[in-house]
Amino acid sequence: MGDVQKRVPHVRVVVDENDVERGAMRILEQIRPRWEKDSVEFKLLTDGITNKLVGCRPAEAEESETVLVRIYGNKTDLLIDRKAETRNFILLNKVDLAPDLYATFDNGLAYRFIPGNTLDQETVRDPHIYRLVAKRMAKLHKVKVKGEEHPQPFLWDKMSSFLELVPDVFSDSKKNERYRECIMSKAQIEGELRELRNALKNSDSPVVFAHNDLLLGNVIYTQSEDSVTFIDFEYAAFSYQAYDIGNHFAEFVGIGTDLDYSLYPDKELQTDWIRTYLAEYHGREPKEEEVEKLYVQANQFVLAAHLFWGIWALIQAEHSYIDFDYMEYADLRLREYFAKKSVCALFNGSS
């Protein structure tokens, strides 16, 4: 399996975002040449707010035969190292933590469909399911990468590079007006980033190989196998353990701009999740002080998650062709950043 996955073919095709079926068929002609062209069914999947995703399979075929073709969003190469993403996909597939990667193409990937349902605001709170997620994340965090004995977290440099990509003036006048009215300036964001980095610089949270984007749509629960699978490794990289966990907790509130922050998990849920995670991560039952420490760290690093995705959304607001209100999303994430900051002991000594 490992040798096969090292030879992932590259198809020299650019798939037009506005004509995904024609482009996807050109990919399939290379990786599924026996499929009858006229029998292939396409289903556009719309959960993503970065890329377009289409499922492809012959009519009457089993669901497990579906190939997913993911087309990168416009200018997302500014945000994501696509070669690193492919390496991560192959690495994690070898340890059974990612689906099979069938091919890359000039602006996307084709990979195996995992039957099941993505999580939603209810299923992510189901104790049975969230414990599966906690165990899966712990397994991911234990993955070792050859040549990376002392890895550095991607977080601060990535956020700084993102901030440089935020335009001073948005090309769309209406977006620019909304930015001026609702969002703090780049200089203010830079100040917040500097302050947050200084506040967290002494954290002893371990640096692990992390997903870094475990939103609800990136977790699939397969009931028939009673298992969860993570997908979309665009931001997979070495990061703080507590960041990956805190970032996931922030996603309990929903997808897109339909966010309900009253659904942010309470301490009882978080500590149960963390206790399950640590038992898998360490291979033993954790001490209560270990659970409490990681709980505190995760809720500190959730500030970094809100700031990260707020900056990300401002870049997308300028470049993405996807029909999504990125400016509204940036506003929501940055408002929640300040709400969390106002009660964070790092900044005001409160509990």
Side-chain angles (χ1 to χ4, degrees):
M1 174 67 76
D3 291 340
V4 171
Q5 287 297 298
K6 289 178 183 178
R7 297 193 298 271
V8 174
H10 180 79
V11 182
R12 295 201 172 279
V13 168
V14 175
V15 178
D16 186 338
E17 287 186 62
N18 299 310
D19 193 8
V20 294
E21 291 187 11
R22 185 192 298 268
M25 180 56 72
R26 294 179 66 190
I27 308 297
L28 295 172
E29 287 171 355
Q30 299 296 317
I31 64 174
R32 293 293 183 271
R34 295 183 181 179
W35 284 8
E36 294 283 346
K37 290 179 64 173
D38 293 338
S39 74
V40 177
E41 297 177 340
F42 300 93
K43 182 179 181 181
L44 187 63
L45 308 174
T46 57
D47 282 346
I49 60 174
T50 304
N51 312 291
K52 285 193 173 181
L53 187 66
V54 61
C56 320
R57 69 172 178 177
E60 310 301 328
E62 294 292 328
E63 190 178 39
S64 59
E65 292 183 46
T66 299
V67 172
L68 294 181
V69 175
R70 179 153 60 92
I71 302 98
Y72 301 148
N74 184 52
K75 298 289 188 179
T76 54
D77 55 311
L78 295 172
L79 305 170
I80 299 160
D81 183 339
R82 295 301 182 184
K83 290 183 179 179
E85 179 189 12
T86 301
R87 290 196 302 269
N88 293 336
F89 219 123
I90 295 169
L91 167 71
L92 295 175
N93 174 259
K94 289 172 66 176
V95 292
D96 199 30
L97 289 172
D100 295 331
L101 181 61
Y102 296 139
T104 63
F105 53 97
D106 288 355
N107 63 328
L109 303 171
Y111 54 96
R112 182 168 65 91
F113 171 75
I114 303 295
N117 297 302
T118 55
L119 300 191
D120 57 30
Q121 291 154 306
E122 293 184 5
T123 53
V124 74
R125 308 176 73 82
D126 181 313
H128 179 71
I129 293 176
Y130 75 60
R131 288 169 189 149
L132 292 175
V133 174
K135 291 177 182 178
R136 185 98 177 170
M137 186 182 285
K139 291 175 181 177
L140 174 62
H141 287 178
K142 291 194 287 185
V143 169
K144 302 299 182 185
V145 180
K146 188 176 180 180
E148 294 284 359
E149 283 72 30
H150 303 287
Q152 296 300 307
F154 90 124
L155 187 61
W156 308 117
D157 287 346
K158 179 66 84 172
M159 271 204 279
S160 294
S161 67
F162 275 13
L163 191 54
E164 291 178 4
L165 296 172
V166 175
D168 295 310
V169 179
F170 287 80
S171 56
D172 183 299
S173 60
K174 291 183 179 180
K175 288 181 181 179
N176 195 60
E177 185 177 350
R178 289 179 65 193
Y179 174 67
R180 297 300 177 194
E181 290 177 353
C182 302
I183 312 292
M184 57 184 161
S185 69
K186 281 180 66 173
Q188 290 174 303
I189 297 175
E190 185 175 14
E192 292 296 330
L193 175 54
R194 188 183 312 112
E195 183 181 11
L196 184 62
R197 183 173 187 169
N198 287 336
L200 292 172
K201 67 181 181 182
N202 293 323
S203 173
D204 61 354
S205 179
V207 175
V208 297
F209 191 78
H211 188 284
N212 297 312
D213 187 21
L214 206 59
L215 48 79
L216 302 183
N218 283 344
V219 185
I220 297 171
Y221 174 63
T222 305
Q223 187 173 17
S224 61
E225 298 181 7
D226 193 29
S227 65
V228 296
T229 304
F230 300 164
I231 59 172
D232 288 2
F233 299 97
E234 294 178 310
Y235 296 94
F238 286 100
S239 190
Y240 299 101
Q241 176 191 62
Y243 174 80
D244 212 16
I245 295 171
N247 182 74
H248 177 58
F249 288 162
E251 299 293 345
F252 275 54
V253 304
I255 293 177
T257 56
D258 183 23
L259 305 180
D260 180 357
Y261 281 107
S262 70
L263 296 178
Y264 185 75
D266 60 20
K267 185 172 183 178
E268 181 180 3
L269 190 155
Q270 287 192 42
T271 52
D272 185 56
W273 194 106
I274 289 169
R275 189 174 292 108
T276 303
Y277 167 91
L278 286 173
E280 178 69 32
Y281 186 73
H282 291 304
R284 59 169 174 78
E285 286 302 308
K287 301 175 182 177
E288 284 307 304
E289 53 265 34
E290 292 175 315
V291 174
E292 179 67 21
K293 179 180 180 179
L294 186 48
Y295 165 77
V296 170
Q297 290 177 328
N299 284 276
Q300 291 171 343
F301 273 97
V302 79
L303 289 166
H306 287 306
L307 199 58
F308 184 101
W309 296 113
I311 297 169
W312 170 90
L314 292 174
I315 303 168
Q316 295 283 28
E318 175 67 9
H319 297 294
S320 180
Y321 294 147
I322 292 175
D323 183 16
F324 180 79
D325 194 343
Y326 291 102
M327 198 64 74
E328 173 70 10
Y329 188 73
D331 188 33
L332 289 168
R333 295 303 296 254
L334 293 173
R335 284 180 185 273
E336 189 61 17
Y337 164 80
F338 282 110
K340 289 282 189 236
K341 182 182 178 184
S342 70
V343 296
C344 181
L346 278 171
F347 297 97
N348 58 22
S350 63
S351 58

Short mmCIF file of all heavy atoms in Angstrom, two decimals, residues 73-118:
data_model
loop_
_atom_site.label_atom_id
_atom_site.label_comp_id
_atom_site.label_asym_id
_atom_site.label_seq_id
_atom_site.Cartn_x
_atom_site.Cartn_y
_atom_site.Cartn_z
N GLY A 73 -10.42 26.33 -4.44
CA GLY A 73 -10.99 27.65 -4.64
C GLY A 73 -9.97 28.61 -5.25
O GLY A 73 -8.75 28.40 -5.17
N ASN A 74 -10.46 29.68 -5.87
CA ASN A 74 -9.61 30.68 -6.51
C ASN A 74 -8.60 31.27 -5.52
O ASN A 74 -8.97 31.68 -4.42
CB ASN A 74 -10.47 31.80 -7.09
CG ASN A 74 -9.65 32.82 -7.86
OD1 ASN A 74 -8.87 32.47 -8.74
ND2 ASN A 74 -9.81 34.09 -7.53
N LYS A 75 -7.35 31.27 -5.92
CA LYS A 75 -6.25 31.89 -5.16
C LYS A 75 -5.98 31.21 -3.82
O LYS A 75 -5.27 31.77 -2.97
CB LYS A 75 -6.53 33.38 -4.91
CG LYS A 75 -6.65 34.22 -6.18
CD LYS A 75 -5.32 34.40 -6.87
CE LYS A 75 -5.43 35.39 -8.02
NZ LYS A 75 -4.14 35.61 -8.71
N THR A 76 -6.53 29.99 -3.60
CA THR A 76 -6.25 29.34 -2.32
C THR A 76 -4.81 28.88 -2.22
O THR A 76 -4.34 28.55 -1.13
CB THR A 76 -7.19 28.15 -2.08
OG1 THR A 76 -7.13 27.25 -3.19
CG2 THR A 76 -8.62 28.61 -1.89
N ASP A 77 -4.09 28.87 -3.36
CA ASP A 77 -2.67 28.56 -3.30
C ASP A 77 -1.91 29.62 -2.52
O ASP A 77 -0.77 29.39 -2.07
CB ASP A 77 -2.08 28.42 -4.71
CG ASP A 77 -2.33 29.64 -5.57
OD1 ASP A 77 -3.50 30.10 -5.63
OD2 ASP A 77 -1.39 30.16 -6.18
N LEU A 78 -2.51 30.81 -2.33
CA LEU A 78 -1.91 31.83 -1.48
C LEU A 78 -1.92 31.41 -0.02
O LEU A 78 -1.07 31.82 0.77
CB LEU A 78 -2.67 33.16 -1.62
CG LEU A 78 -2.64 33.86 -2.97
CD1 LEU A 78 -3.60 35.05 -2.97
CD2 LEU A 78 -1.22 34.32 -3.32
N LEU A 79 -2.89 30.57 0.33
CA LEU A 79 -3.11 30.19 1.72
C LEU A 79 -2.55 28.82 2.06
O LEU A 79 -2.21 28.56 3.21
CB LEU A 79 -4.62 30.17 2.02
CG LEU A 79 -5.41 31.45 1.73
CD1 LEU A 79 -6.90 31.17 1.86
CD2 LEU A 79 -4.99 32.54 2.68
N ILE A 80 -2.48 27.95 1.06
CA ILE A 80 -2.22 26.53 1.32
C ILE A 80 -1.06 26.03 0.47
O ILE A 80 -0.99 26.31 -0.73
CB ILE A 80 -3.49 25.70 1.01
CG1 ILE A 80 -4.64 26.14 1.91
CG2 ILE A 80 -3.22 24.21 1.18
CD1 ILE A 80 -6.00 25.74 1.40
N ASP A 81 -0.16 25.29 1.11
CA ASP A 81 0.94 24.63 0.41
C ASP A 81 0.40 23.32 -0.14
O ASP A 81 0.25 22.34 0.59
CB ASP A 81 2.10 24.39 1.38
CG ASP A 81 3.32 23.76 0.71
OD1 ASP A 81 3.17 23.15 -0.36
OD2 ASP A 81 4.42 23.88 1.28
N ARG A 82 0.09 23.28 -1.45
CA ARG A 82 -0.57 22.11 -2.02
C ARG A 82 0.34 20.89 -2.06
O ARG A 82 -0.14 19.76 -1.93
CB ARG A 82 -1.09 22.45 -3.42
CG ARG A 82 -2.19 23.52 -3.43
CD ARG A 82 -3.39 23.09 -2.61
NE ARG A 82 -4.47 24.08 -2.64
CZ ARG A 82 -5.59 23.97 -1.94
NH1 ARG A 82 -5.78 22.93 -1.14
NH2 ARG A 82 -6.54 24.90 -2.02
N LYS A 83 1.64 21.08 -2.24
CA LYS A 83 2.54 19.93 -2.21
C LYS A 83 2.58 19.31 -0.82
O LYS A 83 2.58 18.08 -0.67
CB LYS A 83 3.94 20.36 -2.65
CG LYS A 83 4.04 20.71 -4.13
CD LYS A 83 5.47 21.05 -4.52
CE LYS A 83 5.56 21.37 -6.02
NZ LYS A 83 6.94 21.73 -6.43
N ALA A 84 2.58 20.17 0.19
CA ALA A 84 2.57 19.67 1.56
C ALA A 84 1.26 18.94 1.85
O ALA A 84 1.24 17.91 2.54
CB ALA A 84 2.76 20.82 2.55
N GLU A 85 0.16 19.46 1.31
CA GLU A 85 -1.13 18.80 1.51
C GLU A 85 -1.12 17.38 0.95
O GLU A 85 -1.59 16.43 1.59
CB GLU A 85 -2.25 19.61 0.84
CG GLU A 85 -3.62 18.96 0.99
CD GLU A 85 -4.69 19.64 0.15
OE1 GLU A 85 -4.34 20.45 -0.72
OE2 GLU A 85 -5.87 19.32 0.37
N THR A 86 -0.55 17.23 -0.25
CA THR A 86 -0.47 15.90 -0.86
C THR A 86 0.41 14.97 -0.03
O THR A 86 0.07 13.81 0.21
CB THR A 86 0.07 16.01 -2.30
OG1 THR A 86 -0.81 16.85 -3.06
CG2 THR A 86 0.15 14.64 -2.96
N ARG A 87 1.55 15.48 0.43
CA ARG A 87 2.43 14.66 1.29
C ARG A 87 1.70 14.23 2.54
O ARG A 87 1.80 13.08 2.99
CB ARG A 87 3.69 15.45 1.65
CG ARG A 87 4.67 15.68 0.51
CD ARG A 87 6.03 16.09 1.02
NE ARG A 87 5.97 17.30 1.83
CZ ARG A 87 6.12 18.53 1.34
NH1 ARG A 87 6.31 18.72 0.04
NH2 ARG A 87 6.09 19.58 2.14
N ASN A 88 0.95 15.16 3.15
CA ASN A 88 0.21 14.83 4.36
C ASN A 88 -0.84 13.77 4.11
O ASN A 88 -1.02 12.85 4.92
CB ASN A 88 -0.47 16.09 4.91
CG ASN A 88 0.51 17.12 5.42
OD1 ASN A 88 1.64 16.78 5.78
ND2 ASN A 88 0.10 18.38 5.46
N PHE A 89 -1.53 13.89 2.99
CA PHE A 89 -2.56 12.91 2.62
C PHE A 89 -1.95 11.51 2.53
O PHE A 89 -2.47 10.53 3.07
CB PHE A 89 -3.15 13.31 1.26
CG PHE A 89 -4.63 13.11 1.14
CD1 PHE A 89 -5.46 14.17 0.81
CD2 PHE A 89 -5.20 11.86 1.32
CE1 PHE A 89 -6.83 13.99 0.67
CE2 PHE A 89 -6.56 11.66 1.18
CZ PHE A 89 -7.38 12.74 0.87
N ILE A 90 -0.81 11.42 1.84
CA ILE A 90 -0.14 10.13 1.67
C ILE A 90 0.37 9.59 3.00
O ILE A 90 0.20 8.41 3.33
CB ILE A 90 1.00 10.25 0.65
CG1 ILE A 90 0.43 10.59 -0.74
CG2 ILE A 90 1.83 8.97 0.58
CD1 ILE A 90 1.47 11.00 -1.76
N LEU A 91 0.99 10.46 3.79
CA LEU A 91 1.51 10.08 5.11
C LEU A 91 0.39 9.50 5.98
O LEU A 91 0.53 8.42 6.57
CB LEU A 91 2.13 11.29 5.80
CG LEU A 91 2.43 11.15 7.29
CD1 LEU A 91 3.60 10.20 7.52
CD2 LEU A 91 2.72 12.51 7.93
N LEU A 92 -0.73 10.21 6.04
CA LEU A 92 -1.81 9.78 6.93
C LEU A 92 -2.56 8.57 6.39
O LEU A 92 -3.08 7.76 7.17
CB LEU A 92 -2.77 10.95 7.17
CG LEU A 92 -2.13 12.13 7.92
CD1 LEU A 92 -3.10 13.30 8.02
CD2 LEU A 92 -1.66 11.71 9.32
N ASN A 93 -2.61 8.42 5.08
CA ASN A 93 -3.21 7.22 4.51
C ASN A 93 -2.42 5.98 4.90
O ASN A 93 -2.99 4.92 5.18
CB ASN A 93 -3.30 7.35 2.99
CG ASN A 93 -3.78 6.06 2.34
OD1 ASN A 93 -2.98 5.29 1.82
ND2 ASN A 93 -5.07 5.81 2.38
N LYS A 94 -1.10 6.10 4.94
CA LYS A 94 -0.24 4.95 5.28
C LYS A 94 -0.49 4.45 6.70
O LYS A 94 -0.26 3.29 6.99
CB LYS A 94 1.23 5.34 5.10
CG LYS A 94 1.64 5.48 3.64
CD LYS A 94 3.04 6.05 3.51
CE LYS A 94 4.08 5.10 4.04
NZ LYS A 94 5.46 5.63 3.82
N VAL A 95 -0.98 5.33 7.58
CA VAL A 95 -1.27 4.92 8.96
C VAL A 95 -2.78 4.86 9.19
O VAL A 95 -3.26 4.94 10.32
CB VAL A 95 -0.58 5.85 9.98
CG1 VAL A 95 0.92 5.67 9.93
CG2 VAL A 95 -0.97 7.31 9.77
N ASP A 96 -3.54 4.74 8.10
CA ASP A 96 -4.99 4.54 8.14
C ASP A 96 -5.73 5.70 8.80
O ASP A 96 -6.73 5.52 9.48
CB ASP A 96 -5.33 3.23 8.87
CG ASP A 96 -6.74 2.75 8.54
OD1 ASP A 96 -7.22 3.03 7.43
OD2 ASP A 96 -7.36 2.11 9.41
N LEU A 97 -5.24 6.92 8.57
CA LEU A 97 -5.88 8.10 9.12
C LEU A 97 -6.40 9.05 8.04
O LEU A 97 -6.86 10.15 8.34
CB LEU A 97 -4.93 8.86 10.05
CG LEU A 97 -4.62 8.16 11.38
CD1 LEU A 97 -3.52 8.91 12.13
CD2 LEU A 97 -5.88 8.06 12.25
N ALA A 98 -6.31 8.63 6.78
CA ALA A 98 -6.83 9.42 5.67
C ALA A 98 -7.30 8.49 4.56
O ALA A 98 -6.78 7.38 4.43
CB ALA A 98 -5.77 10.39 5.13
N PRO A 99 -8.26 8.91 3.75
CA PRO A 99 -8.72 8.08 2.63
C PRO A 99 -7.62 7.89 1.59
O PRO A 99 -6.62 8.61 1.59
CB PRO A 99 -9.89 8.89 2.04
CG PRO A 99 -10.24 9.91 3.07
CD PRO A 99 -9.00 10.18 3.84
N ASP A 100 -7.82 6.94 0.69
CA ASP A 100 -6.88 6.72 -0.43
C ASP A 100 -6.91 7.94 -1.35
O ASP A 100 -7.99 8.44 -1.71
CB ASP A 100 -7.27 5.49 -1.24
CG ASP A 100 -7.15 4.21 -0.42
OD1 ASP A 100 -6.31 4.16 0.49
OD2 ASP A 100 -7.93 3.27 -0.69
N LEU A 101 -5.74 8.39 -1.76
CA LEU A 101 -5.62 9.48 -2.71
C LEU A 101 -5.39 8.87 -4.09
O LEU A 101 -4.41 8.18 -4.32
CB LEU A 101 -4.44 10.39 -2.33
CG LEU A 101 -4.18 11.60 -3.22
CD1 LEU A 101 -5.37 12.55 -3.24
CD2 LEU A 101 -2.92 12.34 -2.74
N TYR A 102 -6.31 9.11 -5.02
CA TYR A 102 -6.24 8.49 -6.34
C TYR A 102 -5.39 9.29 -7.32
O TYR A 102 -4.71 8.72 -8.17
CB TYR A 102 -7.64 8.32 -6.93
CG TYR A 102 -8.53 7.39 -6.15
CD1 TYR A 102 -9.87 7.71 -5.94
CD2 TYR A 102 -8.06 6.18 -5.64
CE1 TYR A 102 -10.71 6.86 -5.24
CE2 TYR A 102 -8.89 5.33 -4.93
CZ TYR A 102 -10.21 5.67 -4.73
OH TYR A 102 -11.03 4.82 -4.03
N ALA A 103 -5.47 10.61 -7.24
CA ALA A 103 -4.73 11.43 -8.19
C ALA A 103 -4.72 12.88 -7.72
O ALA A 103 -5.59 13.31 -6.94
CB ALA A 103 -5.35 11.36 -9.59
N THR A 104 -3.73 13.62 -8.19
CA THR A 104 -3.77 15.07 -8.10
C THR A 104 -3.98 15.60 -9.51
O THR A 104 -3.69 14.92 -10.50
CB THR A 104 -2.46 15.64 -7.53
OG1 THR A 104 -1.38 15.32 -8.42
CG2 THR A 104 -2.15 15.05 -6.16
N PHE A 105 -4.51 16.81 -9.61
CA PHE A 105 -4.57 17.48 -10.90
C PHE A 105 -4.19 18.94 -10.68
O PHE A 105 -3.87 19.33 -9.55
CB PHE A 105 -5.92 17.30 -11.59
CG PHE A 105 -7.14 17.67 -10.77
CD1 PHE A 105 -7.74 18.91 -10.91
CD2 PHE A 105 -7.70 16.76 -9.89
CE1 PHE A 105 -8.86 19.26 -10.17
CE2 PHE A 105 -8.84 17.09 -9.15
CZ PHE A 105 -9.42 18.34 -9.28
N ASP A 106 -4.17 19.73 -11.73
CA ASP A 106 -3.55 21.06 -11.63
C ASP A 106 -4.21 21.96 -10.59
O ASP A 106 -3.55 22.83 -10.03
CB ASP A 106 -3.55 21.75 -12.99
CG ASP A 106 -2.55 21.12 -13.95
OD1 ASP A 106 -1.80 20.22 -13.52
OD2 ASP A 106 -2.53 21.52 -15.13
N ASN A 107 -5.49 21.77 -10.33
CA ASN A 107 -6.14 22.59 -9.30
C ASN A 107 -7.04 21.75 -8.39
O ASN A 107 -8.14 22.15 -8.03
CB ASN A 107 -6.93 23.74 -9.93
CG ASN A 107 -8.08 23.28 -10.82
OD1 ASN A 107 -8.00 22.23 -11.46
ND2 ASN A 107 -9.15 24.07 -10.88
N GLY A 108 -6.54 20.55 -8.02
CA GLY A 108 -7.32 19.77 -7.08
C GLY A 108 -6.82 18.37 -6.84
O GLY A 108 -5.72 17.99 -7.24
N LEU A 109 -7.66 17.59 -6.16
CA LEU A 109 -7.35 16.21 -5.76
C LEU A 109 -8.54 15.32 -6.07
O LEU A 109 -9.70 15.76 -6.07
CB LEU A 109 -7.09 16.12 -4.25
CG LEU A 109 -6.00 16.96 -3.62
CD1 LEU A 109 -6.10 16.85 -2.09
CD2 LEU A 109 -4.64 16.51 -4.09
N ALA A 110 -8.27 14.03 -6.30
CA ALA A 110 -9.32 13.02 -6.41
C ALA A 110 -9.01 11.93 -5.38
O ALA A 110 -7.88 11.42 -5.34
CB ALA A 110 -9.36 12.43 -7.81
N TYR A 111 -9.99 11.58 -4.56
CA TYR A 111 -9.73 10.61 -3.49
C TYR A 111 -10.97 9.79 -3.18
O TYR A 111 -12.06 10.05 -3.68
CB TYR A 111 -9.20 11.30 -2.23
CG TYR A 111 -10.07 12.43 -1.70
CD1 TYR A 111 -10.99 12.21 -0.70
CD2 TYR A 111 -9.93 13.73 -2.19
CE1 TYR A 111 -11.76 13.24 -0.18
CE2 TYR A 111 -10.70 14.77 -1.68
CZ TYR A 111 -11.61 14.51 -0.68
OH TYR A 111 -12.39 15.54 -0.18
N ARG A 112 -10.79 8.77 -2.34
CA ARG A 112 -11.85 7.82 -2.04
C ARG A 112 -12.93 8.44 -1.17
O ARG A 112 -12.64 9.12 -0.18
CB ARG A 112 -11.27 6.59 -1.33
CG ARG A 112 -12.30 5.50 -1.03
CD ARG A 112 -11.63 4.21 -0.60
NE ARG A 112 -10.92 4.33 0.66
CZ ARG A 112 -11.45 4.06 1.86
NH1 ARG A 112 -12.71 3.68 1.96
NH2 ARG A 112 -10.72 4.19 2.94
N PHE A 113 -14.16 8.19 -1.54
CA PHE A 113 -15.31 8.63 -0.75
C PHE A 113 -15.46 7.74 0.48
O PHE A 113 -15.35 6.51 0.38
CB PHE A 113 -16.56 8.55 -1.61
CG PHE A 113 -17.85 8.78 -0.87
CD1 PHE A 113 -18.22 10.05 -0.47
CD2 PHE A 113 -18.70 7.72 -0.58
CE1 PHE A 113 -19.41 10.26 0.20
CE2 PHE A 113 -19.89 7.92 0.09
CZ PHE A 113 -20.25 9.19 0.48
N ILE A 114 -15.70 8.35 1.62
CA ILE A 114 -15.95 7.61 2.86
C ILE A 114 -17.45 7.68 3.14
O ILE A 114 -18.00 8.76 3.38
CB ILE A 114 -15.18 8.21 4.05
CG1 ILE A 114 -13.68 8.24 3.77
CG2 ILE A 114 -15.49 7.44 5.33
CD1 ILE A 114 -13.05 6.88 3.62
N PRO A 115 -18.15 6.53 3.08
CA PRO A 115 -19.59 6.55 3.36
C PRO A 115 -19.87 7.00 4.78
O PRO A 115 -19.11 6.70 5.71
CB PRO A 115 -20.02 5.09 3.16
CG PRO A 115 -18.92 4.45 2.36
CD PRO A 115 -17.67 5.18 2.75
N GLY A 116 -20.93 7.74 4.95
CA GLY A 116 -21.31 8.22 6.28
C GLY A 116 -21.88 9.61 6.21
O GLY A 116 -22.21 10.13 5.14
N ASN A 117 -21.99 10.23 7.37
CA ASN A 117 -22.54 11.58 7.47
C ASN A 117 -21.56 12.50 8.17
O ASN A 117 -20.94 12.12 9.18
CB ASN A 117 -23.86 11.56 8.25
CG ASN A 117 -24.93 10.74 7.56
OD1 ASN A 117 -25.29 11.03 6.43
ND2 ASN A 117 -25.43 9.73 8.25
N THR A 118 -21.43 13.72 7.63
CA THR A 118 -20.62 14.70 8.34
C THR A 118 -21.35 15.10 9.61
O THR A 118 -22.58 15.03 9.70
CB THR A 118 -20.35 15.93 7.47
OG1 THR A 118 -21.60 16.48 7.02
CG2 THR A 118 -19.49 15.58 6.26
#
